[in-house]
């Protein structure tokens, strides 16, 4: 008799976004005339920039032309995109080669697929509060998860400790949900730890483009020693509004070797077996992001979201509420005032001022008592939410 992957039965149901939508539905049924100020979503709201749209149109036309038509793309990515991403790194002083860059259909796909490179007996360390996919993708494979709680006392950026044992280490900086960032020193401690133990860091850099402080690393490969212990997973979703267009990239250095196995070679083999590459049209659109005009245009959109963050940070400063994130990140993670729990605070904001955020408890037990605001909404709604927060909480 066939046995399904029984590890799926070990998955904890995530009620977070379902609960939120149910509460909103119930509220709007009772109060149909009320407008909500939504700061819970992790999706972007601004459209793709002009450079990307132009490149996408041109690529569509290529596909209709006998001379310029493209069939299958090379599985690890089109050379034009791998090289412009390689340049993007080298232009910031990070010395990687084009064949260390792999094009993907987005960071989520990659975060799941990359686990093929690790034996099922390897265990995974997840720093919490965390993006839920890290835990779930490993539970599906039957891996043991080591939960490392972080908190206000370490600014949600914990350091490795002597007694810690783990094979796969997830680090997300700037972090979702906390918005916290790892400094070079903090990251170096994890890099040294991984090299000493033979672990591999999966560095999720989905929000690197939001970093504005010069001394905060945007790539783990800015840290000495990282090439022998890290894989970096990136996405154009938040950087350039590709959530619905789908494109990401992953950097696997050739120097990353364990027990004689080179992870870069393994990933080439994996991609050529399990994918047929990302669409030519989308890769053309993605390449436009890395041109100088594209960079200028995406930065304007990022600044728009960051101005939203500045508005909320100012309101929280005035109210004396503790928070992290916002500066190098599109998320603000705050301590619920007056000792309220995450869901109590959610209810209070929804019922009293029609502001919607995300309860921190949904990102791991240590998120209880915290709350996440996302900055991807409109300026008008964000400004109104800030005013309402000030009136309610002062
Ligand atoms: N990693 C983090 C930390 C995220 O917050 C997200 C999306 O919200 C992703 C990865 C997934 O990104 P993508 O849209 O490229 O799949």
């Amino acid at each position: 008799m066939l046995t399904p992957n029984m590890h799926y039965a070990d998955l904890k149901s995530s009620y977070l976004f379902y609960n939120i939508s149910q509460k909103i539905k119930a509220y709007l049924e009772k109060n149909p005339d009320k407008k909500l100020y939504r700061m819970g979503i992790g999706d972007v709201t601004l459209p793709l920039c002009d450079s990307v749209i132009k490149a996408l149109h041109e690529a569509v036309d290529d596909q209709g032309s006998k001379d310029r038509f493209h069939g299958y793309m090379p599985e690890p990515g089109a050379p034009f995109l791998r090289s412009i991403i390689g340049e993007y790194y080298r232009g910031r002083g990070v010395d990687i080669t084009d064949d260390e860059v792999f094009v993907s259909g987005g960071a989520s796909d990659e975060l799941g697929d990359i686990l093929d490179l690790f034996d099922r007996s390897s265990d995974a360390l997840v720093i919490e509060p965390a993006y839920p996919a890290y835990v779930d993708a490993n539970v599906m494979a039957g891996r043991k998860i080591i939960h490392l709680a972080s908190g206000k006392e370490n600014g949600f950026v914990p350091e490795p400790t002597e007694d810690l044992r783990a094979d796969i280490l997830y680090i997300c900086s700037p972090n979702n949900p906390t918005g916290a960032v790892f400094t070079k020193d903090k990251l170096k401690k994890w890099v040294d730890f991984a090299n000493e133990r033979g672990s591999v860091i999966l560095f999720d850099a989905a929000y690197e483009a939001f970093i504005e402080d010069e001394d905060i690393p945007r790539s783990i490969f800015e840290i000495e020693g990282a090439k022998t212990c890290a894989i970096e997973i990136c996405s154009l979703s938040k950087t350039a509004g590709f959530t619905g267009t789908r494109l990401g990239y992953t950097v696997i250095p050739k120097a990353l070797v364990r027990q004689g196995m080179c992870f870069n070679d393994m990933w080439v083999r994996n991609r050529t077996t399990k994918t047929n590459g990302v669409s030519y049209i989308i890769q053309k659109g993605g390449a436009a992001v890395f041109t100088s005009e594209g960079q200028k245009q995406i930065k304007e959109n990022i600044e728009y979201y960051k101005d939203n963050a500045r508005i909320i940070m100012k309101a929280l400063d005035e109210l004396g509420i503790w928070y992290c994130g916002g500066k190098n990140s599109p998320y603000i993670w705050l301590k619920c005032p007056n000792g309220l729990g995450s869901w109590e605070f959610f209810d209070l904001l929804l019922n009293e001022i029609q502001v919607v955020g995300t309860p921190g408890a949904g990102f791991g037990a240590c998120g209880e008592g915290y709350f996440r605001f996302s900055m991807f909404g409109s300026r008008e709604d964000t400004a109104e939410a800030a005013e309402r927060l000030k009136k309610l909480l002062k």
Side-chain angles (χ1 to χ4, degrees), residues 71-301:
Y72 287 126
M73 290 281 99
E75 296 86 345
F80 64 79
L81 182 53
R82 295 178 93 186
S83 73
I84 204 167
I85 294 173
E87 274 306 318
Y88 176 68
Y89 276 88
R90 292 187 290 272
R92 300 190 333 241
V94 180
D95 182 27
I96 58 156
T97 57
D98 297 350
D99 54 4
E100 292 176 321
V101 177
F102 294 85
V103 174
S104 76
S108 270
D109 310 35
E110 207 77 340
L111 282 162
D113 293 351
I114 205 88
L115 294 174
D116 267 7
L117 300 183
F118 303 94
D119 190 83
R120 289 192 175 212
S121 66
S122 39
D123 43 29
L125 177 114
V126 177
I127 298 173
E128 287 181 340
Y131 183 60
Y134 305 154
V135 170
D136 288 354
N138 282 289
V139 169
M140 285 174 188
R143 283 204 184 81
K144 187 177 148 214
I145 315 278
I146 297 152
H147 302 265
L148 177 64
S150 65
K152 201 175 153 201
E153 65 290 348
N154 52 30
F156 289 93
V157 183
E159 292 181 8
T161 50
E162 266 309 303
D163 55 325
L164 215 52
R165 296 276 174 280
D167 303 309
I168 307 168
L169 314 172
Y170 284 89
I171 299 182
C172 178
S173 177
N175 189 273
N176 179 10
T178 67
V181 284
F182 282 72
T183 59
K184 283 199 168 123
D185 288 351
K186 287 261 179 160
L187 217 44
K188 176 78 174 126
K189 289 192 176 151
W190 283 102
V191 165
D192 290 346
F193 174 88
N195 277 323
E196 277 158 25
R197 314 281 161 114
S199 316
V200 171
I201 297 173
L202 293 183
F203 189 71
D204 185 339
Y207 299 96
E208 62 86 12
F210 288 80
I211 294 177
E212 62 187 47
D213 287 343
E214 288 287 315
D215 52 344
I216 299 293
R218 289 170 60 181
S219 162
I220 194 164
F221 301 117
E222 291 175 39
I223 310 298
E224 205 194 321
K227 280 191 181 173
T228 52
C229 69
I231 291 175
E232 179 157 296
I233 296 179
C234 300
S235 164
L236 292 191
S237 283
K238 311 301 159 72
T239 301
F242 271 61
T243 50
T245 307
R246 311 302 304 144
L247 195 69
Y249 52 96
T250 298
V251 179
I252 309 184
K254 293 200 168 148
L256 180 61
V257 177
R258 295 286 181 272
Q259 300 189 34
M261 302 289 281
C262 168
F263 280 73
N264 184 293
D265 292 344
M266 288 165 76
W267 197 234
V268 172
R269 190 61 200 254
N270 181 295
R271 296 293 83 184
T272 50
T273 306
K274 293 197 169 181
T275 76
N276 259 329
V278 175
S279 135
Y280 165 74
I281 297 169
I282 304 300
Q283 294 198 63
K284 273 290 190 187
V289 169
F290 298 95
T291 60
S292 51
E293 192 52 29
Q295 285 290 299
K296 206 174 121 241
Q297 292 174 3
I298 62 154
K299 278 184 188 133
E300 282 164 17
N301 286 1

